[in-house]
Every structure is written in C-alpha cells, then in structure tokens.
Amino acid sequence: MVPVPDALAAILERTTALPTESVPLVEALGRVLAREVAADADLPGLPRSSVDGYAVRSADSAPDRRVLAEVTAGRLAHTQVGSGEAVAIMTGGTIPQGADAVVMVEDTDHAGEVVRLHRLPHAAENIHPPGMDLVRGQVVARAGERIGPSEVGLLASVGASEVPVVRRPRVAILATGDEVVEPWETPPPGAVRDSNRYALMASAQAAGATVVWHRHGRDDEALLASLVREALEVCDVLITSGGVSMGTRDLMKPLLERTGTVHFGRVSFKPGKPLTFATTAAGQLLFGLPGFPVSSLVTFEVFVRPALLKLGGHHRVLRPRVQARIVQPLRPDPLRLEYQRVRVRWEDGELVAHSTGLQASSRLLSIAGANGLLEIEPGTVVLPAGTRIPTLLLVDLDL
Ligand code: AMP
Ligand code: MG
C-alpha cells in the first residue's frame, strides 16, 4: 500500500499544465491565466481630480479666484492657471497647467466669473498623481491565478481584451457495474442508481474541467475495453468508478494495466484503498475510483481534483489545511490515513469540527454539506474529544 503523500506525488509529477488558448475577456471569468499580464501604461496617465471643484495654485492666498474655463472628465484644459485664477474641474478631469490643488465645490461659492474659496487647499490636495493606481509594466495578474471579478476589471483596465488562459482539462467518466441503473429508472431488487457518474461529472466541472464523454458499462471485459478506448479518443483524463477491488467482477484494474502503466493500485487511505492510477503512452491520466459513492467522491477530492487543477494551469492545487478541535472521541483506523467528513465552524475563537454522522462509504449524506475532511493518522489509541486534528477545508482559500 502506497502512503497518501507518495500517491499524490506520483500523480502530480506526471501532470503538467495543458496548452494555452485565448478567450475574449467576457468569457474569462473562472479561467486560469496562462501568462502574467502587466499594465500597458500608467493609470492615471495624467494627474487627475478626485472631486468636483476648482483647480487652483495652493501657494496663492487670495480667497477669490477668476474662473477661466471648465474641464470635464476626458477633456484636457488648454488653459494656464495663474495667481488669482481657477479652472472649474469635474471628477476625473485632468489638472490644468499651473494648478497644483483642487478645492471641493462644497468648500466654495461661485458668483459670476469669480469663485470664493472658503478654505485654502494644501499642495496636491484632491489630486490623483499619474501611476497612482497602476504603473506601466506593473504585473496585475499572475500565471496560475483563477480569474475572478476583480481580475476581469484589471484585465480590462490594461487593455487585455483577449486573455491567455490554460485550456480546460477534458474529462471522460465511465461508471461500471452490473447492478448500476440510470437515475430515472426504478432499481430492480439488488440494484442501485448510478450516483457516481453524476457526482463525478459535477466534481470535475467544479474543478474547472469539461466533461466530454460519460457512459455506464456493465461488468463485461470486452464492453469495458471498448468503452475505455472510445473515451481515450477524446479525453485528457479518464475517471472510472467501481470494479477496482478484489471481487471476481472487478475488471477495471486489469483493464487499466492493459491500457497504460499503473503507478499504484492500493493506497493506505480510507475510504478508497483500491484507488488505481495509471497513465497512457500519450500522457493521459487514468483514475480507477472505487464504487462506493463516498469513496469515489473522497478519492476524487484528495487525488483527482489536484491533478485536474494542475492540468488546468493552477499553481495552488491543494486545499488549505487547518487544525480543528473534535467534539467527540475518534477511533483511528489501525493502518490507513482516514478522511472523515465534518462541518467546521468557528466557535469561541477556534475551529471546531462536527461529524456529519455515520461515516459509511455508501452514505452520501456523510459528505453532503461537509466543508472539511479530518485527516486522522492511523493508530490504536482513541483520540479524546478536544483533540486538535489537521483538517482540509473544502473551500477555495489561499491561506
Ligand atoms: P465496486 O467498487 O464496483 O465493488 O462497487 C462497490 C459498491 O458501490 C457497489 O456494490 C454499489 O453499491 C456501489 N456502486 C458502484 N457503482 C456505483 C455507482 N455508479 N453509483 C452508485 N453506487 C455505486
Ligand atoms: Mg462493481
């Protein structure tokens, strides 16, 4: 059995970011930047007023100034402001030559051609200097960052109307099992509805991948082999569910062995010991996930998601890890690192982990609503309530 960190390392060392493509800015939200983007010019380019008011000389002590002209945002004043003079200026207007401060309109009275200043400004007051927001050449977004709303704004401000992003991973999903029927069918005695295919499709999409192919196949060697061939025509990553344990109808492990190079087939991990990872000669990643619904989702979370994020160009692929206090005693697995599903809450100044209930690997309700995975080291001693345990937070946070 391979330890969890070695299994993860074996996956990530065989995973590299996919090629770059260009998308229009309006489609960039949620994509991953492939190259850093820098400001093409200073912003603002010229000194500009941050208020509506009057541009004046701060060294001038006269309260009354003759108003020469008006500058609105986007228009340049071709006037020189001298002693005893002012130019009316609107927010965003470029400061005219000679002026070095702006008095807010609220601090003035304007009658005819003359404005009276109720207070004298100090130098640079209410002026945004060139380069205050961005300096030409300054990096506004880095490769590997997910583009959020503020990045979209920054990309627009620096003129990046076409954005270099990493291509989304193409994922194929194959659910196996004679007992598995479609969600719209009524399962005959002994059968179960296919929840894995749909949960794994959703998980892949949530990790930024595109699902390009998905099927269910009965436990038939020739059928599964042909489905795997079909999937590999179109995908970067094939995720299968079921058929990797030791039963006589568990056909996926030998099939993955014939299809590519298997790097591990048993992980010291709970739930999901039989997780199998292989690569094809063309570099496609193959993940054989166990069939129990919770096992397949937890192995996806711990092993497949980081691989999809890395393929998708993310630089940070692991969930944030914190310490959370358990409220009930826990019995560790004697041999395997165990991931238990919890709801983590902030209580009295610390993170507290509440179990989602029975941790059976068939019980999907134990993962629904979970926002954390306790990482419980193997051992023989019961961990008392109050123990602080490393916990993966199932959120997108750069801690
Ligand atoms: P397996 O790993 O193929 O032995 O499957 C173990 C158990 O997981 C099966 O007995 C089913 O109860 C369940 N299972 C397998 N595939 C699915 C699926 N696609 N959706 C829901 N449950 C499944
Ligand atoms: Mg099966």
Side-chain angles (χ1 to χ4, degrees), residues 25 37-39 43 133-134 139-141 145 148-160:
L25 183 57
V37 174
L43 188 68
D133 299 339
L134 287 175
V139 173
V140 300
E145 271 179 29
S150 53
E151 284 76 26
V152 169
L154 279 166
L155 292 168
S157 0
V158 303

CSV table of all heavy atoms in Angstrom, one decimal, residues 25 37-39 43 133-134 139-141 145 148-160:
chain,number,residue,atom,x,y,z
A,25,LEU,N,-12.4,38.6,-23.2
A,25,LEU,CA,-12.5,39.0,-21.8
A,25,LEU,C,-13.8,38.6,-21.1
A,25,LEU,O,-13.8,38.2,-20.0
A,25,LEU,CB,-12.2,40.5,-21.7
A,25,LEU,CG,-12.2,41.1,-20.3
A,25,LEU,CD1,-11.2,40.5,-19.4
A,25,LEU,CD2,-12.0,42.6,-20.4
A,37,VAL,N,0.1,39.2,-16.7
A,37,VAL,CA,-0.4,40.4,-17.5
A,37,VAL,C,0.1,41.6,-16.8
A,37,VAL,O,-0.1,41.7,-15.6
A,37,VAL,CB,-1.9,40.3,-17.7
A,37,VAL,CG1,-2.4,41.6,-18.4
A,37,VAL,CG2,-2.3,39.1,-18.5
A,38,ALA,N,0.6,42.6,-17.5
A,38,ALA,CA,1.2,43.8,-16.9
A,38,ALA,C,0.5,45.0,-17.5
A,38,ALA,O,-0.1,45.0,-18.6
A,38,ALA,CB,2.7,43.9,-17.2
A,39,ALA,N,0.5,46.1,-16.7
A,39,ALA,CA,-0.1,47.3,-17.2
A,39,ALA,C,0.6,47.9,-18.4
A,39,ALA,O,1.8,47.9,-18.4
A,39,ALA,CB,-0.1,48.4,-16.0
A,43,LEU,N,-1.6,54.4,-14.8
A,43,LEU,CA,-3.1,54.8,-14.6
A,43,LEU,C,-3.2,55.5,-13.3
A,43,LEU,O,-2.8,55.0,-12.3
A,43,LEU,CB,-3.9,53.5,-14.6
A,43,LEU,CG,-5.4,53.7,-14.5
A,43,LEU,CD1,-5.9,54.3,-15.8
A,43,LEU,CD2,-6.1,52.4,-14.2
A,133,ASP,N,-2.7,54.4,-9.4
A,133,ASP,CA,-3.4,53.0,-9.4
A,133,ASP,C,-2.5,51.9,-10.0
A,133,ASP,O,-2.5,50.8,-9.5
A,133,ASP,CB,-4.7,53.1,-10.1
A,133,ASP,CG,-5.7,54.2,-9.5
A,133,ASP,OD1,-5.4,54.5,-8.3
A,133,ASP,OD2,-6.6,54.7,-10.2
A,134,LEU,N,-1.9,52.3,-11.1
A,134,LEU,CA,-1.0,51.3,-11.8
A,134,LEU,C,0.1,52.0,-12.4
A,134,LEU,O,0.0,53.1,-13.0
A,134,LEU,CB,-1.8,50.6,-12.9
A,134,LEU,CG,-2.9,49.6,-12.5
A,134,LEU,CD1,-3.6,49.1,-13.8
A,134,LEU,CD2,-2.2,48.4,-11.8
A,139,VAL,N,2.8,44.2,-12.8
A,139,VAL,CA,2.0,43.0,-13.0
A,139,VAL,C,0.7,43.1,-12.3
A,139,VAL,O,0.6,43.4,-11.1
A,139,VAL,CB,2.8,41.7,-12.5
A,139,VAL,CG1,2.0,40.5,-12.5
A,139,VAL,CG2,4.1,41.6,-13.3
A,140,VAL,N,-0.4,42.9,-13.0
A,140,VAL,CA,-1.7,43.0,-12.4
A,140,VAL,C,-2.3,41.6,-12.1
A,140,VAL,O,-3.2,41.5,-11.3
A,140,VAL,CB,-2.7,43.8,-13.3
A,140,VAL,CG1,-2.2,45.2,-13.5
A,140,VAL,CG2,-3.0,43.1,-14.6
A,141,ALA,N,-1.9,40.6,-12.8
A,141,ALA,CA,-2.3,39.2,-12.6
A,141,ALA,C,-1.3,38.2,-13.0
A,141,ALA,O,-0.6,38.4,-14.0
A,141,ALA,CB,-3.6,38.9,-13.3
A,145,GLU,N,-3.3,32.1,-11.7
A,145,GLU,CA,-4.4,32.6,-10.9
A,145,GLU,C,-5.7,32.4,-11.5
A,145,GLU,O,-5.8,32.5,-12.8
A,145,GLU,CB,-4.2,34.2,-10.8
A,145,GLU,CG,-3.4,34.6,-9.6
A,145,GLU,CD,-3.2,36.1,-9.6
A,145,GLU,OE1,-4.1,36.8,-10.0
A,145,GLU,OE2,-2.2,36.6,-9.1
A,148,GLY,N,-11.1,36.1,-11.3
A,148,GLY,CA,-12.3,36.5,-10.6
A,148,GLY,C,-12.8,37.8,-11.1
A,148,GLY,O,-12.2,38.4,-12.0
A,149,PRO,N,-13.9,38.3,-10.5
A,149,PRO,CA,-14.4,39.6,-11.0
A,149,PRO,C,-13.4,40.8,-10.9
A,149,PRO,O,-13.3,41.6,-11.8
A,149,PRO,CB,-15.5,39.9,-10.0
A,149,PRO,CG,-16.0,38.5,-9.6
A,149,PRO,CD,-14.7,37.7,-9.5
A,150,SER,N,-12.5,40.9,-9.9
A,150,SER,CA,-11.6,42.0,-9.8
A,150,SER,C,-10.5,41.8,-10.9
A,150,SER,O,-10.0,42.8,-11.5
A,150,SER,CB,-11.0,42.1,-8.4
A,150,SER,OG,-10.4,40.9,-8.0
A,151,GLU,N,-10.1,40.5,-11.2
A,151,GLU,CA,-9.1,40.3,-12.2
A,151,GLU,C,-9.7,40.7,-13.6
A,151,GLU,O,-9.0,41.3,-14.4
A,151,GLU,CB,-8.6,38.9,-12.3
A,151,GLU,CG,-7.7,38.5,-11.2
A,151,GLU,CD,-8.3,38.3,-9.8
A,151,GLU,OE1,-9.5,38.0,-9.8
A,151,GLU,OE2,-7.6,38.5,-8.8
A,152,VAL,N,-11.0,40.4,-13.8
A,152,VAL,CA,-11.6,40.9,-15.1
A,152,VAL,C,-11.5,42.4,-15.2
A,152,VAL,O,-11.2,42.9,-16.3
A,152,VAL,CB,-13.1,40.4,-15.1
A,152,VAL,CG1,-13.8,41.1,-16.3
A,152,VAL,CG2,-13.2,38.9,-15.2
A,153,GLY,N,-11.8,43.1,-14.1
A,153,GLY,CA,-11.7,44.5,-14.1
A,153,GLY,C,-10.2,45.0,-14.4
A,153,GLY,O,-10.0,45.9,-15.3
A,154,LEU,N,-9.3,44.4,-13.8
A,154,LEU,CA,-7.9,44.7,-14.0
A,154,LEU,C,-7.5,44.5,-15.5
A,154,LEU,O,-6.8,45.3,-16.1
A,154,LEU,CB,-6.9,44.0,-13.1
A,154,LEU,CG,-6.9,44.5,-11.7
A,154,LEU,CD1,-6.2,43.5,-10.7
A,154,LEU,CD2,-6.1,45.9,-11.7
A,155,LEU,N,-7.9,43.3,-16.0
A,155,LEU,CA,-7.5,42.9,-17.4
A,155,LEU,C,-8.1,44.0,-18.3
A,155,LEU,O,-7.4,44.4,-19.3
A,155,LEU,CB,-8.0,41.5,-17.7
A,155,LEU,CG,-7.3,40.4,-16.9
A,155,LEU,CD1,-8.0,39.1,-17.1
A,155,LEU,CD2,-5.8,40.3,-17.4
A,156,ALA,N,-9.4,44.4,-18.0
A,156,ALA,CA,-10.0,45.4,-18.9
A,156,ALA,C,-9.2,46.7,-18.8
A,156,ALA,O,-8.9,47.4,-19.8
A,156,ALA,CB,-11.4,45.6,-18.5
A,157,SER,N,-8.8,47.1,-17.5
A,157,SER,CA,-8.1,48.4,-17.4
A,157,SER,C,-6.7,48.4,-18.1
A,157,SER,O,-6.3,49.5,-18.5
A,157,SER,CB,-7.8,48.8,-16.0
A,157,SER,OG,-8.3,48.0,-15.1
A,158,VAL,N,-6.1,47.3,-18.3
A,158,VAL,CA,-4.8,47.3,-19.0
A,158,VAL,C,-5.0,46.9,-20.5
A,158,VAL,O,-4.0,46.6,-21.2
A,158,VAL,CB,-3.8,46.4,-18.3
A,158,VAL,CG1,-3.6,46.9,-16.8
A,158,VAL,CG2,-4.1,44.9,-18.4
A,159,GLY,N,-6.2,46.8,-21.0
A,159,GLY,CA,-6.4,46.6,-22.4
A,159,GLY,C,-6.3,45.1,-22.8
A,159,GLY,O,-6.1,44.8,-24.0
A,160,ALA,N,-6.4,44.2,-21.9
A,160,ALA,CA,-6.3,42.8,-22.2
A,160,ALA,C,-7.6,42.2,-22.6
A,160,ALA,O,-8.3,41.6,-21.9
A,160,ALA,CB,-5.7,41.9,-21.1
